Amino acid sequence: MPMIRETIVTTLNAEGKVHIAPLGLIAEEGGWILAPFKPSTTLDNLRANPYAVANFTDDVLVFASCLTDRRDWPTRHATHIPGAILDGTLSHAELKVDFVEEDEQRPRFHCKVVFEASHAPFKGFNRAQGAVIEAAILASRLHMLPREKIERELGYLQIAMEKTAGPREHEAWRLLVEKIEDHFKHAPKSD
């Protein structure tokens, strides 16, 4: 299995507007593979502007906010590509699409690293941060996973939240749980 790194990816549309989205990047020698689902803004942007910035952050509130349509995080211009760097990110990699492997569900954009920089030290994760990332992945796949699986996994992840979460993790968790509950409240009832 390839290594996947959960990041915040920034892309630009044809007009230069920044889009911020969580995305698991697949490691490959010399770069990363971005595989956004169809349809998505990230996919459209990569086709219009074949560059992206992988923002490596330990702020799980950014992940949760993006999944609940709160994407107004401050950014600054990338230094070596047309792109945007998330303010407050610990490090980033500026990526250029080298080639695209088409797929009906998730095209794979093979990217080379053009430039990398570190901005702040990484001080380690707590278990609640990992729990929020896992809950964010569940929240991004509500249309694909059975309700029982989501509820079971959230129950287990809640243990880490209760034991190790700080204020940002609690806020991120609240946003994700509300999104998931709202989805099930409006989901059609099965017989």
Side-chain angles (χ1 to χ4, degrees), residues 80-111:
H80 291 77
I81 64 165
I85 302 164
L86 183 68
D87 283 354
T89 194
L90 299 176
S91 65
H92 80 279
E94 298 179 22
L95 309 174
K96 179 184 186 306
V97 175
D98 192 32
F99 68 94
V100 181
E101 187 181 341
E102 294 298 341
D103 182 81
E104 286 299 313
Q105 188 178 24
R106 293 182 81 177
R108 292 173 165 256
F109 293 80
H110 294 259
C111 300

Side-chain angles (χ1 to χ4, degrees):
M1 292 293 291
M3 181 190 68
I4 297 175
R5 180 80 40 99
E6 299 301 330
T7 64
I8 299 295
V9 171
T10 51
T11 55
L12 302 179
N13 68 13
E15 292 76 41
K17 182 179 178 199
V18 177
H19 178 70
I20 302 170
L23 186 65
L25 302 186
I26 304 163
E28 77 175 350
E29 191 170 329
W32 297 95
I33 300 170
L34 283 68
F37 282 99
K38 286 183 178 181
S40 73
T41 302
T42 298
L43 175 65
D44 294 342
N45 287 357
L46 286 169
R47 293 207 190 277
N49 180 29
Y51 299 92
V53 176
N55 297 275
F56 302 102
T57 180
D58 61 353
D59 187 350
V60 294
L61 187 53
V62 179
F63 288 85
S65 294
C66 287
L67 286 166
T68 56
D69 294 325
R70 295 175 181 99
R71 299 174 191 268
D72 57 348
W73 294 90
T75 61
R76 63 186 183 279
H77 293 289
T79 54
H80 291 77
I81 64 165
I85 302 164
L86 183 68
D87 283 354
T89 194
L90 299 176
S91 65
H92 80 279
E94 298 179 22
L95 309 174
K96 179 184 186 306
V97 175
D98 192 32
F99 68 94
V100 181
E101 187 181 341
E102 294 298 341
D103 182 81
E104 286 299 313
Q105 188 178 24
R106 293 182 81 177
R108 292 173 165 256
F109 293 80
H110 294 259
C111 300
K112 291 199 179 300
V113 176
V114 174
F115 177 75
E116 293 179 290
S118 293
H119 310 289
F122 173 65
K123 296 181 180 177
F125 280 117
N126 66 44
R127 289 177 52 214
Q129 289 169 309
V132 170
I133 295 294
E134 291 300 323
I137 293 166
L138 292 172
S140 74
R141 297 185 174 147
L142 293 172
H143 61 289
M144 298 166 43
L145 298 173
R147 181 176 185 160
E148 299 76 30
K149 177 180 177 53
I150 292 169
E151 289 174 343
R152 181 177 60 252
E153 291 194 20
L154 282 177
Y156 178 74
L157 295 170
Q158 178 69 38
I159 297 167
M161 289 300 302
E162 291 168 358
K163 291 182 176 182
T164 66
R168 290 187 80 78
E169 292 84 15
H170 278 296
E171 177 63 11
W173 184 261
R174 182 190 64 75
L175 290 172
L176 293 170
V177 169
E178 285 177 2
K179 176 183 176 70
I180 292 166
E181 288 174 349
D182 186 61
H183 171 79
F184 288 132
K185 185 173 16 174
H186 296 98
K189 302 279 188 234
S190 57
D191 293 330

